[in-house]
């Protein structure tokens, strides 16, 4: 037996008990006559002690040879500490040792196993097993486990079945790039790993399963941006005989349940906003509504006053940064530099300071009178002491730029507290997105999203105007998930594929099984998929998902711990009827 | 809104309520003046009715045009049935319809959606969405969901974390064949899909997670035997600071909890049997202990009496089939034919009938006297009315053959009731297995299994005799899972790889990360993996796993519903730097 208790368990009430513990040596402190060891396991840290003259000499010897991260099993008696540590639950006791058994030695770790480590990113990834010993990562994975359990219990209580769908499926080039898996038994043919179980969950609705979910791995072979992983986890859900309202209520309920369970927070009823409003008021389809600074449009007030930059713009739009009229020249220049960064791309920034004395000071004083600016301030609801920030240009671009500026101001003003949660449904997304480069429409969500019935008549001649029964769950400016009411009619699905540029043959070849299924009594259905890595990080108050995944890959898609991907044996290639035409350097 | 209630919900107490239901038309019965529709959803069947002269004419018209599997939404009033159906929970009521809305029509299904369908296997696989509508499959997937939920809740209550491990890992040729995934970003390199998360769960123990589990998909590119799938699901578990006893107790507890929760059965304390005993008594490492017929060895009694077949045999062994002395010549010939089948391979069968009058009648009367046979009967504990069945030959072969005969007799005598569950731990497996063909040792479980400490001294000179700290959970003759206490010492692990014929370089290349991890304070650890598809089928009382998987593949590894695997576009191959050298016909 390796232990009678864990290292997080013993309390003052256990004093006098003879106990056995096992764990890792966090540190030893040798004061000559007294020697302490902090013993760590998943559950906590317990202080062990030895005393010259009381403890047996060979134990003291042994203890003096223990290094950091050695694994030991110890036996001793629980005693009350003379100097208590109120910061840890076991801080009132220590173990007076009567035996030490070395279970395994350890080389010196290449970085410290502390909350704040001195290890760099690559080193921590290579020795992930050491990085995972640190408290922040332990808390992250414990939270992830808890969220998964509670998600399942909630959905189970709502009558959902978790049904496993296959990982070896069929490649469908629409959407992101697939990872493929050569089939040995079917030479020249490949499976694909699922980008999501989308078609299978719809098939399950056709099959009458009514309420399906799955916490499931998905795969996308995309060029990895920071904080994107080739494999990621989704809470994937689908319901039959539902309207959009049913889906929103069910998953709003789930999100509220999770926040309540793991954070003890009631996040309240979700705000709702349609896509058009979100774009107009925030310049984003995932607005962070923890703070205001909604957009105010100025065309009618600012144009035709001789300021050609505004006059030539499709849209003049800004927001009020309350309390920022004292921003210095340097601060304002920095904001201008911010919006002019290539990845944001604005040409410049117009500011209007609403001075405390009721006067105004702007970067466009040449063109606008105090009276003009006063009317602007009224529309901005700007008070003395506030700062109006204004951009102009092409509508789509300027909204995106102003969104970036708004978020930056939110950061500067400390309005984006990661422990405050403001969830939101964004609804009524456009069905289709025009791509200038390829000169064709793409599905904004995916080809299975249904158009709003009242917009179907626009499909033929103005497809770009058709709104979808599609919705996103957005929390704190993060798109946590999205979904839609699906098409369940074969003819409408065919039309949709044709709008997306599929020939009948391509559509039949790739999605024939789904369209065939629609001919055998497909019920109305809809669902949602939530990014589980992202949701977990968000709930913990983090931006990056990497430390919420036990074994993430780096930005080249490599697992540097196991050194994968790697070459395979010629025999394996031969069995798969494959030849490699290029190799990594 | 599509429904106020499900089709399994309404009772006599709801009479008078106006309700809306949605579902599939199971069948319609038109008696002229009265018309009934059975409406089905996941939750049950509700009878709808219309009456000539009372119901509106256009509704009767509409109802008469409904075909099987049409999807409809109906509104009406709950009424008490005149002729009640005690076989279904909604059998006391029916809905007097006031509205019918057709949600989707259906082509005539290619087979009947009934508990016993007329569809053949291939047809049912192709139209899996129709097959999945049948009650037996619905019950199977509901059971699977329930088992997954309860498994997680049990393990959560025991302090296990579910931690997701990667699906894109590294190919390691030891063991079964890997499915591989070409990496676009790393030309010429491949990921592999995991055959199990074995090394990752061990890494998690090194990382201090103490108790890990995962219900996880695993992949093996093997030639598919009946009832084997290229992807399958495992309940994968690992614990640190444990002895074999701790692991057995934890998972015996889990299995008992599951049987209790989903079947209401207490399966009792698990019997335990070491591998050597299982082979000697049952000729199998997964004995079905629902019935007796343990093996009895006869060498000392049966040899040297002039019967050369026995004399030349390494082992003479049989069992007592109680109450079978009246087996006819024809029945005995059939048993002889059974053991002589090529897949069993015995040369013949010796029987001894213990007649009711105390005499004996055997197939070897020429060589053995009544007195001889009487002594045999004593050893077999055979009573008048019993039948002794005896085989002889090479020990390993004859035990396997007799095991088959024993199971066949168990079937014939109805001793293998699928609703009776007799679980068993088989322990002390050999560490290594000798392969005659390749003339080398293979790990019986896998290369990470630890030898019994008391057998380590045999590793050098008699490796075949070393027993492992390995165990299997066996229920009703089915290996539900297996595991072991692992090696956690780098040097022992290296020695193990070398025994298995790995060069140091190969070992380092494939498993270096694990051996490196062992140098940084690896705790003693062990675990188990249970086949979830198999466990679910077993608990339901079925042999085949196929109908416990929503979307299984056929024996060529194909999903005939989605028609996968399939060829991929040349562009995809080019991006992956691959060339296909052969194609399927």
């Amino acid at each position: 037996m390796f232990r009678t208790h864990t290292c997080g368990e013993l309390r003052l009430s256990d004093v006098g008990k003879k106990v056995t513990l096992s764990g890792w040596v966090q540190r030893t402190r040798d004061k000559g006559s007294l020697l302490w060891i902090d013993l760590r396991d998943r559950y906590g840290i317990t202080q062990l002690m030895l005393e010259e003259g009381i403890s047996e000499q060979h134990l003291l010897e042994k203890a003096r040879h223990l290094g950091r991260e050695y694994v030991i099993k110890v036996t001793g008696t629980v005693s009350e500490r003379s100097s208590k540590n109120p910061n840890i639950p076991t801080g009132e006791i220590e173990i007076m040792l009567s035996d030490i058994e070395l279970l395994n030695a350890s080389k010196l770790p290449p970085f410290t196993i502390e909350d704040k480590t001195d290890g760099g990113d690559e080193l921590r990834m290579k020795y992930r097993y050491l990085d995972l010993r640190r408290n922040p990562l332990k808390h992250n994975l414990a939270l992830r486990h808890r969220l998964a359990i509670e998600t399942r219990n909630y959905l189970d209580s709502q009558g959902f079945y978790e049904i496993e769908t296959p990982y070896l499926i069929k490649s469908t080039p629409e959407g992101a790039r697939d990872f493929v898996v050569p089939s040995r038994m079917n030479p020249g043919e490949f499976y694909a790993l699922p980008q999501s179980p989308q078609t299978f969950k719809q098939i399950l609705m056709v099959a009458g399963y009514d309420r399906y979910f799955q916490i499931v791995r998905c795969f996308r072979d995309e060029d990895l941006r920071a904080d994107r992983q080739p494999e990621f986890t989704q809470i994937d859900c689908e319901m039959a005989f539902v309207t959009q309202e049913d889906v929103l209520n069910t998953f709003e309920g789930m999100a509220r349940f999770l926040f309540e369970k793991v954070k003890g927070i009631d996040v309240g009823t979700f705000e709702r906003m349609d896509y058009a409003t979100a774009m107009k008021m925030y310049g984003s389809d995932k607005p962070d509504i923890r703070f205001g600074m909604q957009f105010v449009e100025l065309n009618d007030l600012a144009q035709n006053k001789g300021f050609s930059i505004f006059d030539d713009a499709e849209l003049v739009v800004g927001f009020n940064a309350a309390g920022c009229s004292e921003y210095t020249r340097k601060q304002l220049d920095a904001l201008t530099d911010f919006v002019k960064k290539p990845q944001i791309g604005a040409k410049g920034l117009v500011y209007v300071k609403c001075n405390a004395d009721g006067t105004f000071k702007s970067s466009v004083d040449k063109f606008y009178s105090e009276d003009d600016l006063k009317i602007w301030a009224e529309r901005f609801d700007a008070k003395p002491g506030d700062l109006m920030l204004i951009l102009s240009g092409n509508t789509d671009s300027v909204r995106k730029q102003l969104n970036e500026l708004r978020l930056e101001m939110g950061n500067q003003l400390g309005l984006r507290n990661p422990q405050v949660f403001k969830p939101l449904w964004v609804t009524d997304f456009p069905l289709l997105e025009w791509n200038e480069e390829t000169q064709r429409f793409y599905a904004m969500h995916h080809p299975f999203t249904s158009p709003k019935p009242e917009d179907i008549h626009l499909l033929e001649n103005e497809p770009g105007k058709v709104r979808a029964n599609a919705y996103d769950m957005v929390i704190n400016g993060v798109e946590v998930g999205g979904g839609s009411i699906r098409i369940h009619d074969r003819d409408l699905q065919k039309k949709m594929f044709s709008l997306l540029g599929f020939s009948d043959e391509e559509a039949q070849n790739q999605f024939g099984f789904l369209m065939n299924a629609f001919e055998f009594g497909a019920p109305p259905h809809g669902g949602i998929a939530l990014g589980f890595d992202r949701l977990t990080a968000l709930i913990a108050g983090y931006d990056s998902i990497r430390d919420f995944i036990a074994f993430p890959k780096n930005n080249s898609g490599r697992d540097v711990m196991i050194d994968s991907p790697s070459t395979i044996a010629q025999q394996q290639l031969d069995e798969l009827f494959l030849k490699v035409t290029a190799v990594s350097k």
Side-chain angles (χ1 to χ4, degrees), chain A residues 279-299:
Chain A
M279 295 310 292
K280 194 178 165 74
M281 303 268 290
Y282 297 94
S284 167
D285 59 0
K286 41 178 197 263
D288 183 346
I289 58 166
R290 279 174 297 183
F291 62 107
M293 301 191 195
Q294 285 93 350
F295 293 4
V296 177
E297 300 188 352
L298 272 192
N299 290 36

Side-chain angles (χ1 to χ4, degrees), chain A residues 169-181 190-196 219-222 230 510-511:
Chain A
I169 65 166
K170 187 183 172 113
S171 187
T172 55
E174 180 71 9
R177 210 182 275 107
D178 285 320
F179 280 106
V180 297
V181 182
F190 295 75
Y191 302 99
L193 299 178
Q195 295 184 30
S196 95
F219 305 85
R220 277 181 208 176
D221 184 12
E222 290 298 294
Q510 287 175 38
F511 298 108

Side-chain angles (χ1 to χ4, degrees), chain A residues 345-358:
Chain A
K347 296 249 164 54
L349 170 67
V350 168
Y351 69 84
V352 182
K353 289 181 171 185
C354 309
N355 297 322
D357 63 4

